[in-house]
């Protein structure tokens, strides 16, 4: 993306949401310390830039490309998670570091105390995002606007026919549309800009032929932005390669993680579709912010889909110095299955630079990256 294009897109969002300017600048400044930390601090990290709360692994959908469906995690009970008081104490503990908090699942709107967690985050005026499949927005809308996250990211794959097929249930698209309409009405009634509404559309074998139509769908649904995400993958081959190099330190089970090979696509057609989307994204005329994650050129798009084991934009993993995830059982994991501590036993602020976490960072710094990083969201998350 050109510098001018970035300015255009940034202006569209930041004009109505000035609090995000400080958040963005903080993230960019935080990135400038990475090489020093990785090379000189023996596994220490200055602070967590982002913390993901996976408040439940349960989900009400069975999406075709989801590894949590493959692993069976989505079949759990939404209440099988940390006690509310503990989630709230984690927010209290994080407040002095002011990372942004990403709330996800499973499907986080199934968790009965989501409103209380959002309210506690809002109490400290911390930045937050909520990622949802959008099926519960009518039921939860009042709470989600009352204690609004800064951004609400709604997953959508295409038209009603496409989306409902991918997500494994009828009327899923219609529920999302109804929910977004309800949220927008509540925001208008309150004269409130938050949450920013963003559609996230994964480009996969199931929808790439119709990906361009997402621009018109997003505009019809009245969201603030549309992000195209190239499909993340975790394959048995990645897991095997990882275990050969790092199994002594960080063993993984492909079966438990839901590892699976992605379906093949017509690569020429994918490249052509992305080119058309990119052309429309560069125009002011669409009236909507359109982004890609990661931002790939045409050659990189081709390599991305030719073989999920080919590295694209390889730059060395930074995730363990910037971000981490807290699971429903309290485990703190910088990467699949590597537990650095549990918030039921000690505060997150103690775990962040614990001996286990520092050992993990040293291993990652020496390796540069792991084979499972090649198509991992966290590997490409820099801003």
């Amino acid at each position: 993306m050109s510098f001018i294009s970035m300015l255009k897109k940034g202006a569209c969002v930041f004009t109505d949401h000035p609090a995000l300017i400080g958040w963005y600048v903080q993230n960019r400044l935080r990135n400038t310390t990475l090489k020093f930390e990785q090379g000189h601090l023996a596994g220490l990290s200055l602070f967590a830039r982002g913390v993901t709360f996976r408040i439940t692994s349960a989900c009400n959908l069975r999406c075709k490309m989801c590894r949590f469906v493959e692993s069976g995690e989505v079949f759990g009970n939404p209440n099988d998670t940390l006690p509310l008081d503990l989630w709230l104490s984690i927010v209290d503990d994080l407040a002095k570091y002011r990372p942004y908090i990403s709330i996800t699942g499973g499907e986080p709107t199934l968790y009965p105390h989501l409103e209380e967690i959002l309210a506690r985050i809002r109490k400290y005026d911390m930045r937050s995002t909520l990622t949802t499949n959008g099926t519960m927005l009518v039921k939860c809308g009042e709470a989600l606007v009352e204690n609004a996250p800064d951004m609400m990211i709604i997953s959508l794959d295409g038209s009603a026919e496409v989306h409902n097929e991918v997500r494994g249930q009828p009327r899923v698209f219609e529920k999302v549309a109804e929910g977004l309409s309800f949220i927008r009405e509540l925001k208008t009634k309150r004269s409130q800009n938050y949450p920013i509404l963003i559609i996230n559309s994964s480009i996969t074998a199931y929808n790439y032929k119709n990906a361009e139509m997402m621009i018109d769908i997003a505009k019809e649904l009245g969201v603030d932005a549309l992000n195209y995400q190239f499909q993340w993958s975790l394959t048995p081959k990645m897991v095997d390669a990882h275990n050969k190099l790092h199994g002594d330190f960080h063993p993984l089970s492909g079966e438990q993680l839901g590892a699976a090979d992605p379906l093949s696509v017509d690569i020429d057609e994918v490249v052509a579709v992305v080119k058309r989307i990119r052309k429309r994204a560069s125009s002011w005329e669409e009236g909507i912010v359109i982004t890609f994650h990661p931002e790939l050129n045409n050659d990189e798009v081709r390599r991305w889909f030719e073989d999920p084991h080919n590295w694209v934009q390889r730059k060395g993993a930074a995730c363990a110095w910037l971000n981490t995830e807290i699971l429903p059982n309290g485990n703190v994991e910088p990467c699949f299955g590597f537990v650095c501590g549990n918030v039921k036993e000690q505060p997150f602020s103690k775990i962040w630079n614990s001996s286990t976490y520092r050992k993990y960072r040293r291993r990652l710094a020496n390796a540069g990256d792991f084979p499972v990083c090649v198509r991992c969201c966290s590997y490409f998350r820099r801003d």
Side-chain angles (χ1 to χ4, degrees), residues 245-246 314 316-317 360-371:
L245 293 172
H246 306 289
R314 192 171 190 172
Y360 175 84
R361 291 194 190 104
R362 289 196 297 270
R363 180 77 173 229
L364 185 56
N366 289 333
D369 47 47
F370 297 149

Side-chain angles (χ1 to χ4, degrees), residues 206-235:
Y206 302 105
N207 71 339
Y208 71 93
K209 295 180 180 179
N210 303 294
E212 186 182 356
M213 73 169 58
M214 276 305 308
I215 297 174
D216 298 311
I217 291 171
K219 286 159 47 174
E220 290 173 10
L221 293 175
V223 298
D224 300 290
L226 166 64
N227 179 66
Y228 286 97
Q229 176 179 291
F230 296 105
Q231 181 178 349
W232 309 121
S233 302
L234 179 67
T235 72

Side-chain angles (χ1 to χ4, degrees), residues 262-368:
L263 298 179
S264 61
V265 301
D266 183 323
I267 297 173
D268 289 334
E269 189 166 358
V270 171
V271 172
V273 168
V274 171
K275 287 173 68 175
R276 292 198 301 270
I277 294 171
R278 193 180 290 123
K279 182 177 180 180
R280 292 180 65 176
S282 65
S283 170
W284 282 103
E285 296 176 5
E286 296 297 343
I288 186 173
V289 179
I290 303 171
T291 59
F292 287 91
H293 181 54
E295 184 70 39
L296 306 178
N297 63 35
N298 294 337
D299 179 63
E300 290 168 336
V301 172
R302 183 174 296 279
R303 287 192 284 126
W304 186 278
F305 286 98
E306 279 178 339
D307 183 351
H309 309 97
N310 286 337
W311 287 94
V312 177
Q313 296 185 357
R314 192 171 190 172
K315 61 187 76 175
C319 46
W321 288 264
L322 297 177
N323 309 298
T324 199
E325 184 173 34
I326 302 175
L327 303 188
N329 63 3
N331 284 346
V332 176
E333 293 189 357
C335 186
F336 311 117
F338 193 92
V339 180
C340 289
N342 191 291
V343 292
K344 291 185 289 189
E345 300 169 1
Q346 61 183 146
F348 176 88
S349 56
K350 299 293 184 183
I351 295 171
W352 180 248
N353 276 318
S354 64
S355 59
T356 304
Y357 217 132
R358 292 175 66 184
K359 183 178 180 181
Y360 175 84
R361 291 194 190 104
R362 289 196 297 270
R363 180 77 173 229
L364 185 56
N366 289 333

Side-chain angles (χ1 to χ4, degrees), residues 161-172:
E161 180 181 7
V162 172
H163 186 69
N164 295 344
E165 173 66 20
V166 173
R167 300 288 161 166
Q169 286 188 21
R171 293 205 77 254
V172 177

